[in-house]
Amino acid sequence: MTALAYPMPLCVAPMMDWTDRHCRYFFRLISRHTLLYTEMVTTGAVLHGKRDRLLGFTPAEHPVALQLGGSEPADLAASARIGEEWGYDEINLNVGCPSDRVQSGRFGACLMAEPDLVARGVAAMREAVRIPVTVKSRIAIDDMEEWSTLEDFVRRVSAAGCTRFIVHARKAWLQGLSPKENRDVPPLRYELVHRLKAEYPHLDITLNGGIKTLDAAAEHLGRVDGVMMGRAPYEAPYLLADADRRFFGSTQAPLTRHEVVDAMLPYIETQLSQGAPLGAITRHMLGLFQGLPGARAWRRHLSENAHKEGADPEVVRVAAAKVPRDADLQAVA
């Protein structure tokens, strides 16, 4: 477990089917300090599911936060306690996911309409653990007025002791838009998150939604405490390579892309010996060489061979050899 130093200027968003343990280990090789999040795990799964599969992670992933989905305070408290026992550095409550499955379970974005219930859940989790308890939300849902909804939500939940809010600067439409459309269609309202920080300067406010570059993140950091990026680093992971220098004061040179691959190989060996299929790991690595000569050949070789029976780390070595190391070095320089 790592003692987190807030504010946390940069983190990678929890993304279903994407930010699993293999993805996080890979990201950690690129950035040593960016805070990473698990996929959302429901309280029911934590309490009754296979915890090794759901919660297991490698110590090298620190700092890493567990995102929970749920609304029953007692279940949230018990799940948070289990997360702390497993070694997570932060417990985050999902109040932003708009999927039908989440709504039917009375958690995710629909909880924006129930700030007092969220506050009780936060209070219960804070009572149960010593690590930070945080909340990730939208600005509002459906026809609710945006600023008044966001301000009321944060005021009520912060009164229960939550001091760090991650706000996806879009409204969520629970009726009429798919989860994918909810990531793109509702307009971004960055100014509301900036205003939230201005009116609640004692709270730690992190902005999420549509931020594609470290330059864009740096611009927002003049108005908020942190920035959370999602799809951009997943699609082009090496953009995180300069994060430690820019946002965390590191003077240590990042690994080159080929060095990242080399460092992944022992991890891959271990995971394959424990039954993980190669493709489950390499699917997160496809964008590593984006923009370099040979990147397409790298992706193609992994995509065509990693899922074959008996696929081993040699598949990754052969794929990496299709990208010239000197091009990688020039790109880093």
Side-chain angles (χ1 to χ4, degrees):
M1 194 179 301
T2 303
L4 287 178
Y6 294 113
M8 178 61 64
L10 188 69
C11 48
V12 175
M15 293 177 282
M16 292 299 293
D17 299 321
W18 285 6
T19 51
D20 62 17
R21 62 184 302 172
H22 307 312
C23 177
R24 298 192 305 268
Y25 188 92
F26 171 57
F27 281 167
R28 182 58 68 222
L29 293 173
I30 302 171
S31 170
R32 299 172 180 88
H33 302 292
T34 300
L35 177 59
L36 305 177
Y37 283 78
T38 68
E39 303 169 89
M40 182 187 69
V41 185
T42 66
T43 54
V46 172
L47 296 176
H48 308 295
K50 295 181 179 179
R51 292 176 191 164
D52 282 346
R53 180 177 62 81
L54 293 166
L55 301 179
F57 68 97
T58 307
E61 294 171 41
H62 289 294
V64 59
L66 170 64
Q67 188 183 67
L68 293 176
S71 59
E72 168 54 49
D75 290 347
L76 286 170
S79 298
R81 190 179 299 112
I82 291 167
E84 182 178 46
E85 290 169 354
W86 275 78
Y88 286 96
D89 302 301
E90 173 189 303
I91 304 296
N92 177 261
L93 179 62
N94 183 317
V95 190
C97 182
S99 76
D100 293 340
R101 183 173 67 86
V102 163
Q103 293 178 56
S104 65
R106 200 189 181 196
F107 56 90
C110 63
L111 290 176
M112 289 292 297
E114 300 187 75
D116 291 336
L117 178 59
V118 174
R120 292 197 297 274
V122 165
M125 288 189 287
R126 292 188 71 247
E127 182 69 23
V129 301
R130 293 166 295 172
I131 58 177
V133 173
T134 68
V135 170
K136 185 175 188 294
S137 74
R138 292 288 184 125
I139 55 175
I141 55 173
D142 297 332
D143 293 320
M144 299 172 74
E145 199 278 327
E146 292 172 344
W147 170 250
S148 61
T149 299
L150 178 62
E151 191 278 334
D152 181 65
F153 178 84
V154 169
R155 177 169 49 81
R156 291 173 184 265
V157 177
S158 64
C162 182
T163 60
R164 182 170 188 257
F165 291 84
I166 303 160
V167 184
H168 186 154
R170 283 187 175 95
K171 178 180 281 192
W173 287 94
L174 304 184
Q175 304 295 327
L177 292 181
S178 69
K180 182 179 185 301
E181 290 170 328
N182 263 300
R183 292 193 295 267
D184 296 300
V185 174
L188 285 160
R189 299 291 308 278
Y190 292 141
E191 74 279 7
L192 297 184
V193 185
H194 296 161
R195 179 180 175 184
L196 185 67
K197 176 60 185 179
E199 298 202 9
Y200 289 84
H202 61 290
L203 296 179
D204 187 321
I205 304 297
T206 292
L207 175 69
N208 173 230
I211 300 166
K212 295 181 171 60
T213 66
L214 295 188
D215 286 343
E219 290 183 16
H220 286 293
L221 286 172
R223 308 285 296 274
V224 293
D225 299 293
V227 168
M228 174 178 276
M229 301 178 74
R231 282 171 286 170
Y234 191 86
E235 293 166 358
Y238 204 69
L239 73 79
L240 294 174
D242 201 32
D244 292 352
R245 180 190 66 83
R246 293 190 64 167
F247 303 132
F248 297 94
S250 176
T251 58
Q252 188 173 355
L255 299 180
T256 68
R257 294 166 179 85
H258 278 93
E259 287 171 342
V260 170
V261 174
D262 293 341
M264 279 295 292
L265 293 175
Y267 174 83
I268 290 171
E269 290 270 16
T270 299
Q271 292 298 314
L272 294 184
S273 71
Q274 296 173 1
L278 180 62
I281 304 171
T282 58
R283 70 187 182 98
H284 303 301
M285 302 170 63
L286 295 176
L288 177 61
F289 291 101
Q290 183 170 308
L292 293 189
R296 183 176 299 177
W298 151 266
R299 292 193 303 270
R300 182 186 303 118
H301 190 82
L302 289 182
S303 298
E304 293 177 353
N305 295 282
H307 296 279
K308 292 180 179 178
E309 186 174 350
D312 62 19
E314 186 62 19
V315 170
V316 182
R317 292 189 186 94
V318 172
K322 297 180 182 296
V323 182
R325 282 185 179 258
D326 58 348
D328 186 5
L329 290 169
Q330 291 169 13
V332 173

